[in-house]
DNA sequence: GCCGGAACTT
DNA sequence: AAGTTCCGGC
């Protein structure tokens, strides 16, 4: 099953370094785990088991050994490895399944976001199904996290490599290579990568593979977020040839099956060989797990293929990319910084149009599992409506594993397939009313504790003591609960739907309407409304994405603004500064088209105006937009609200929540009863948090932007022109970098 | 076994 | 930043 070529890593090299994290040049433990998990050879050692995302280390010593080999740390043992694993708790990447020995569970939401911002969790819901392990079955969620993409699947290497040269096999190898130089000479890689060999030899297990599993490979097909269809991605990046395929066509559902194996990765941002350089900048800073205070790096755009010097993008692609990116931001609560690069671009808000939601049904229809045979998996799970939302745990191996499919529902997935922006034309009417609903109460971070079956001990989350590391880590997350698929699920659905419509505006410029709100959140005065609809968002977003520091900052002053008024400027705080950069008001854009980078200087520049807020332009295209929009349209500037506000609001909320949680967390000391209470309340909290992130059901209507898909040609042209311009600009900027 | 602090390494 | 190593405590 594995292709020889792949030798191993399913993940493209760049996948390993999602963030710029300098430090982590090498493979990260969670990636490593994922790798093992996807290989049948290692099933004896470690395998998916239980709930979605849950895996069991069957042979701790062996896993440790493998890890040690990979890292060239011969002294590695399970104790150490487990320590590393525990650090993930704070990062929310992983959590322990209590009561089960050697059993941990991934928080795919987190992982995905971090690594693949492009992937839409949103639709998927932001929910990445948490539990869904990458299953071979395509079915699971649409989004499978571990993108395994074995090379086979992906063949992408070749195929994908887009013009830009996506990731070359070489690169991958190199990556691996890095690992290998252990003293002993045994290349670690070999063990793992060769998988067959290594593992096989050792364990002799490949048998399993039998067909189904197809090894990780098959299983994993990539999941790309529906939002971004593969196509989109490909296109963006120069995609493979899946040309025709409109996915849509595939099932009637259309939605998506990915014709081929798509892996999420296909998109690798890495430009060819040079990729490495690109790596540095994470796709989105926001994503970074750690709070970096400074914006040290520029956000993704840099990474984005488009930017890459190598590539040239066409406007359309760029547009898509941006939108996708922006969406991610919104959906996931990414830092607005991400948009710095594109000052003039309006960030589309995901609104979830009802119509979009509909799409699910169709999807559902599609198979839950996608047949791998045909396509890779794009399966999205579709609708969640009924109870089906859950994905199956994908076991890496196909069938055999599921001990139980527990899962309850994690709805998450929403896959909404359809909505990719890409398919503009295609988007069929999704009729199904998809509802996202959430899931069961999320267990949040506290889940771990909550689970306490046996252990009375509450783990403290990290915040408490002050170890540096802790603090940093803890910060990060603010709030998310791991398990909560729900959050993602709910959110995602909506989001996705919305995205479809909106996102692609022909023009690409979304319009936002802002209205002042006073009440909802005390803090924020301004509300942005989604013109098209506001769904409250139930979607959950990943709050974690937000960097903590913001939260903190927010605490101090969250009230910056007066109702309705925007103040973008005043915030003294350093943090604020960041925001500022991000949010800076954009220079007044010319109505028609604003040049993308008007102000761009260098990245560093103090501020380039980000057009975070967009006023509604008088564009005609809006027909699509909901009436509300129209109405809003009338109001010009007053309505414009800086995204900043919006974000702040969220942040504030998150922060608050976090604070409260943290408080509780911090107080490890509290009596059991207290804890209990806390736990319970946590559940709520988490939910809220989720809500917050996403859209807070209550409040904030997302910014609406115009998303008429069918835009007039004129718009297109304009957009194109802009994009071109932008592209050019980016190129220039990159050079500097 | 698991947890998490602390110091240290890359 | 992301572990690695060591370790006391439950």
């Amino acid at each position: 099953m594995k292709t020889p070529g792949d030798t191993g890593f399913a993940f493209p090299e760049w996948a390993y370094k999602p963030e710029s994290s300098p430090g982590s040049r090498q493979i990260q433990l969670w990636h490593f785990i994922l790798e093992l998990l996807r290989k049948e050879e290692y099933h004896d050692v470690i395998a998916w088991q239980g709930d979605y995302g849950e895996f069991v280390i069957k042979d701790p010593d062996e896993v440790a050994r493998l890890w040690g080999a990979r890292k060239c740390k011969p002294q590695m043992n399970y104790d150490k490895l487990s320590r590393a694993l525990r650090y993930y708790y704070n990062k929310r990447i992983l959590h322990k399944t209590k009561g089960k020995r050697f059993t941990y569970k991934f928080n795919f939401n987190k992982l995905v976001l971090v690594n693949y911002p492009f992937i839409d969790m949103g639709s998927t819901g932001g929910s990445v199904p948490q539990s869904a392990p990458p299953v071979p079955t395509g079915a699971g969620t649409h989004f499978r996290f571990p993108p395994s993409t074995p090379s086979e699947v992906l063949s992408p290497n070749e195929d994908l490599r887009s013009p830009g040269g996506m990731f070359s096999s070489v690169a991958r190898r190199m990556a691996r290579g890095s690992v290998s130089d252990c003293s002993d000479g045994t290349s670690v890689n070999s063990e793992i990568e060769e998988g067959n060999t290594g593992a096989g030899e050792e364990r002799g297990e490949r048998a399993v593979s039998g067909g189904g599993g197809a090894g990780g490979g098959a299983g994993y097909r990539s999941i790309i977020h529906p939002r971004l269809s593969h196509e989109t991605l490909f296109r963006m990046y120069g995609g493979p040839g899946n040309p025709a395929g409109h996915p849509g066509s595939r099932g009637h559902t259309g939605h998506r099956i990915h014709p081929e194996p798509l892996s999420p990765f296909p998109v690798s941002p890495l430009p060819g060989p040079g990729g490495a350089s690109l790596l540095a900048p994470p796709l989105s800073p926001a994503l970074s797990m750690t709070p970096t205070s400074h914006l040290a790096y520029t956000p993704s755009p840099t990474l984005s293929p488009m930017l890459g010097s190598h590539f040239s993008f066409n406007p359309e692609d760029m547009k898509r990319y941006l939108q996708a990116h922006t969406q991610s931001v919104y959906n996931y609560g990414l830092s607005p910084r991400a948009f710095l690069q594109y000052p003039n671009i309006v960030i589309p808000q995901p609104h979830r149009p009802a119509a979009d939601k509909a799409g699910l049904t169709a999807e559902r229809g599609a198979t839950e599992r996608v047949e791998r045979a045909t396509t890779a998996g794009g399966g999205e799970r579709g609708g969640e409506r009924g109870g089906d939302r859950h994905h199956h745990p994908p076991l890496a191996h196909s069938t055999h594993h599921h001990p139980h499919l527990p899962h309850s529902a994690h709805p998450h997935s929403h896959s909404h397939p359809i909505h990719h922006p890409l398919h503009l034309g295609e988007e069929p009417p999704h009729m199904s009313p998809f509802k996202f609903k959430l899931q069961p109460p999320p267990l949040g971070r506290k889940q771990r504790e909550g689970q306490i079956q046996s252990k009375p001990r509450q783990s403290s989350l990290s915040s408490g003591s002050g170890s540096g590391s802790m603090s940093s880590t803890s910060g990060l997350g603010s709030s998310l609960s791991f398990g909560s698929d729900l959050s993602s699920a709910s959110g995602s659905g909506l989001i996705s739907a919305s995205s479809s419509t909106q996102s692609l505006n022909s023009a690409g410029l979304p319009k936002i309407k802002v209205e002042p709100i006073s009440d909802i959140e005390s803090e924020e005065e301004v509300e942005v409304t989604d013109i098209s609809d506001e769904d409250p968002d139930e979607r959950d977003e990943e709050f974690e994405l937000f960097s903590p520091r913001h939260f903190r900052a927010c605490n101090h002053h969250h009230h910056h603004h007066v109702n309705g008024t925007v103040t973008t400027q005043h915030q003294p705080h350093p943090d604020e500064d960041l925001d500022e950069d991000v949010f800076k008001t954009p220079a007044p854009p010319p109505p028609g088209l604003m040049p993308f980078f008007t102000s761009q200087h260098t990245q560093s520049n103090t501020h380039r105006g980000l057009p975070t807020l967009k006023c509604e332009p008088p564009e005609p295209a809006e027909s699509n937009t909901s009436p509300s929009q129209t109405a809003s349209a009338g109001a010009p500037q007053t309505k414009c609200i800086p995204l900043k506000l919006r974000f702040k609001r969220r942040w504030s909320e998150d922060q608050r929540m976090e604070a409260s949680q943290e408080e509780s967390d911090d107080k490890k000391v509290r009596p059991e009863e207290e804890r209990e209470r806390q736990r319970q309340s946590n559940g709520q909290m988490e939910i809220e948090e989720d809500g917050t992130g996403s859209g807070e059901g209550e409040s904030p209507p997302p910014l609406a932007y115009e998303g008429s898909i069918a835009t007039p040609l004129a718009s297109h042209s304009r957009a194109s022109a802009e994009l071109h311009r932008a592209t050019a600009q980016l190129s220039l900027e990159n050079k500097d970098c």
Side-chain angles (χ1 to χ4, degrees):
Chain A
M1 325 250 156
K2 306 183 165 215
T3 10
D6 93 339
T7 9
F9 289 174
F11 304 89
E13 181 191 351
W14 57 273
Y16 290 93
K17 323 179 167 179
E19 283 302 290
S20 51
S21 47
S24 60
R25 283 194 179 343
Q26 294 189 328
I27 187 172
Q28 289 187 305
L29 178 57
W30 63 268
H31 256 309
F32 177 79
I33 296 291
L34 245 18
E35 265 181 35
L36 293 181
L37 248 15
R38 73 182 256 273
K39 299 195 174 196
E40 297 178 0
E41 310 78 293
Y42 298 98
H43 284 178
D44 289 347
V45 181
I46 186 173
W48 292 110
Q49 196 174 84
D51 218 348
Y52 294 121
E54 203 169 275
F55 63 92
V56 176
I57 294 174
K58 298 175 181 176
D59 185 345
D61 293 335
E62 180 62 11
V63 172
R65 188 184 70 77
L66 292 169
W67 175 235
R70 183 67 154 268
K71 297 287 295 289
C72 297
K73 295 283 182 183
Q75 305 304 315
M76 183 55 60
N77 57 35
Y78 179 72
D79 183 58
K80 293 170 185 173
L81 181 147
S82 64
R83 180 71 190 87
L85 249 23
R86 286 194 294 276
Y87 273 121
Y88 286 142
Y89 299 169
N90 291 319
K91 291 179 175 178
R92 310 302 197 266
I93 288 174
L94 216 62
H95 66 85
K96 183 76 180 69
T97 295
K98 296 198 174 160
K100 295 180 183 177
R101 282 170 54 173
F102 310 120
T103 302
Y104 299 82
K105 187 175 177 181
F106 275 104
N107 172 9
F108 292 115
N109 285 319
K110 181 76 176 188
L111 291 177
V112 173
L113 292 178
V114 173
N115 296 288
Y116 312 98
F118 292 103
I119 293 176
D120 141 8
M121 310 216 20
S123 63
T124 314
S127 49
V128 174
Q130 168 152 32
S131 32
V135 177
T137 61
T141 47
H142 9 12
F143 148 98
R144 301 159 166 84
F145 170 5
S148 38
T149 349
S151 25
E152 352 173 318
V153 175
L154 268 196
S155 26
N157 292 339
E158 285 118 7
D159 301 26
L160 295 185
R161 70 181 66 217
S162 24
M166 298 299 208
F167 28 112
S168 58
S169 58
V170 173
R172 292 189 197 174
R173 290 192 178 164
M174 292 189 54
R176 289 184 197 154
S178 60
V179 177
S180 57
D181 52 8
C182 296
S183 60
D184 56 357
T186 40
S187 64
V188 175
N189 297 336
S190 60
E191 286 184 351
I192 295 171
E193 294 187 359
E194 308 218 0
N196 316 337
T197 51
E201 293 175 356
E202 291 181 8
R203 301 185 163 277
E205 291 208 36
R206 288 175 114 324
V208 177
S209 51
Y220 294 95
R221 292 142 176 256
S222 54
I223 310 164
I224 290 180
H225 179 305
R227 250 198 224 144
L228 298 184
S229 56
H230 326 31
E231 288 184 357
T232 311
L233 293 179
F234 286 124
R235 295 186 62 184
M236 289 180 185
Y237 301 95
N242 178 37
H246 268 310
S249 48
R250 271 175 185 314
H252 60 314
T253 60
H255 109 17
R256 55 215 303 35
I257 296 187
H258 306 348
E260 233 319 26
L262 313 174
S263 77
F265 299 106
V267 193
S268 150
L270 293 186
S277 61
L278 292 182
L279 292 180
L283 291 180
S284 72
L287 297 181
S288 71
M289 304 182 92
T290 59
T292 41
S293 29
H294 23 326
L295 307 172
Y297 53 83
T298 48
S300 47
T302 319
L303 289 183
S304 68
M306 344 188 125
L307 297 181
S309 48
H310 309 19
F311 307 77
S312 59
F313 297 80
N314 68 39
E316 288 292 321
D317 290 348
M318 179 119 159
K319 191 176 24 175
R320 288 195 186 85
Y321 170 81
L322 292 176
Q323 288 183 336
H325 196 144
T326 55
Q327 277 260 305
S328 299
V329 173
Y330 278 90
N331 292 335
Y332 306 152
L334 298 181
S335 162
R337 283 185 233 150
F339 298 99
L340 291 178
Q341 302 281 339
Y342 313 95
N344 291 320
I345 294 173
V346 175
I347 297 170
Q349 212 57 110
H351 68 291
R352 327 159 231 186
D356 288 353
K357 294 177 182 181
L360 293 183
T361 19
E363 295 179 352
R364 243 184 142 345
T367 58
E368 276 217 3
R369 230 181 171 286
V370 175
E371 306 146 349
R372 22 169 110 199
T374 6
T375 64
E380 302 16 44
R381 10 163 102 333
E384 311 216 340
R385 19 174 169 116
D388 18 2
R389 17 159 87 289
H390 22 304
H391 345 331
H392 288 301
L395 302 181
H397 342 338
S398 47
T399 47
H400 52 298
H401 265 358
H402 324 305
H404 20 338
L405 301 176
H407 63 332
S408 34
H410 293 321
H412 34 314
S413 35
H414 344 348
S415 12
H416 261 304
I418 315 183
H419 320 8
H420 303 291
L422 289 184
H423 306 313
L424 299 181
E426 293 182 352
E427 294 231 319
H430 306 325
M431 316 285 232
S432 64
F434 178 64
K435 221 97 189 206
F436 293 80
K437 227 21 210 188
L438 309 244
Q439 335 185 350
L443 307 178
R445 28 151 91 159
K446 300 232 165 157
Q447 176 178 4
R448 312 187 244 165
E449 286 126 31
Q451 293 219 355
I452 305 181
Q453 299 171 342
S454 46
K455 252 185 178 177
R457 183 184 197 179
Q458 193 160 6
S459 49
S460 43
L461 282 185
S462 44
S463 49
S465 10
S467 63
S469 63
M470 292 293 284
S471 62
S472 64
T473 55
S474 63
L476 206 190
S478 41
S479 33
L480 254 193
S481 54
F482 290 16
S484 43
D485 300 352
L486 4 165
S487 56
S488 58
S490 62
S492 60
L494 294 177
I495 294 169
S496 64
S498 59
S499 64
S500 64
T501 46
Q502 62 182 46
S503 54
L504 290 182
N505 243 352
S506 54
L509 302 180
K511 296 180 179 184
I512 298 169
K513 172 194 196 159
V514 176
E515 295 177 357
I517 297 174
S518 40
D519 15 352
I520 295 178
E521 295 276 304
S522 53
E523 312 204 343
E524 310 262 352
E525 299 93 347
V526 178
E527 174 88 358
V528 174
T529 56
D530 179 20
I531 297 172
S532 54
D533 108 305
E534 24 208 346
D535 315 4
D537 319 40
E538 305 167 322
R539 46 176 177 184
D540 25 353
E541 294 186 346
E542 281 256 359
F543 312 127
E544 296 183 352
L545 294 181
F546 291 96
S547 55
R549 35 190 175 135
H550 286 295
F551 290 57
R552 300 251 164 236
C554 291
N555 278 345
H556 303 318
H557 34 308
H558 345 305
H559 357 324
H560 328 320
H561 316 48
V562 182
N563 288 353
T565 58
V566 174
T567 56
T568 324
Q569 332 192 345
H570 62 321
Q571 316 199 341
H573 256 278
D575 290 351
E576 300 274 356
D577 291 348
L578 291 179
D579 289 350
E580 291 228 0
D581 287 346
V582 175
F583 296 98
K584 249 159 205 164
T585 358
L593 27 128
M594 2 177 106
F596 276 79
F597 300 84
T598 19
S599 56
Q600 72 181 75
H601 296 319
T602 53
Q603 301 170 335
S604 59
N605 21 348
T606 46
H607 57 295
R608 27 173 110 204
L610 259 187
T612 41
L613 55 96
K614 184 160 199 147
C615 295
E616 301 203 348
E619 291 183 359
E622 333 248 313
S623 53
N624 294 345
T625 60
S626 61
S628 60
Q629 262 190 344
T630 340
S632 64
Q637 310 174 330
T638 52
K639 302 207 163 189
C640 299
I641 292 176
L643 291 179
K644 181 180 185 174
L645 291 178
R646 188 163 179 265
F647 280 96
K648 283 195 173 190
R649 182 154 137 276
R650 275 194 193 167
W651 283 333
S652 297
E653 291 177 3
D654 286 354
Q655 187 176 5
R656 276 183 286 162
M657 288 200 175
E658 188 172 5
S660 57
Q661 282 191 350
E662 281 193 299
E663 267 183 64
S664 57
D665 289 348
D666 289 351
K667 317 202 166 170
K668 303 176 179 183
V669 183
R670 71 181 54 146
E672 280 289 338
E673 315 156 4
E674 265 283 345
R675 292 189 211 163
E676 277 291 343
R677 274 199 300 123
Q678 281 275 336
R679 260 184 273 171
Q680 294 182 348
S681 47
N682 278 344
Q684 293 179 348
M685 290 289 285
E686 288 187 350
I687 291 171
E688 289 179 3
E689 287 182 350
D690 288 350
T692 311
S694 59
E696 302 150 5
E698 328 127 325
S699 48
L703 301 177
Y705 56 94
E706 246 187 86
S708 57
I709 291 173
T711 47
L713 296 179
S715 300
H716 258 319
S717 299
R718 228 201 326 184
S720 297
E722 291 180 1
L723 290 172
H724 279 296
R725 236 173 283 153
T727 302
Q729 288 289 347
L730 291 172
S731 299
L732 293 175
E733 288 185 1
N734 281 343
K735 288 178 182 179
D736 291 347
C737 297

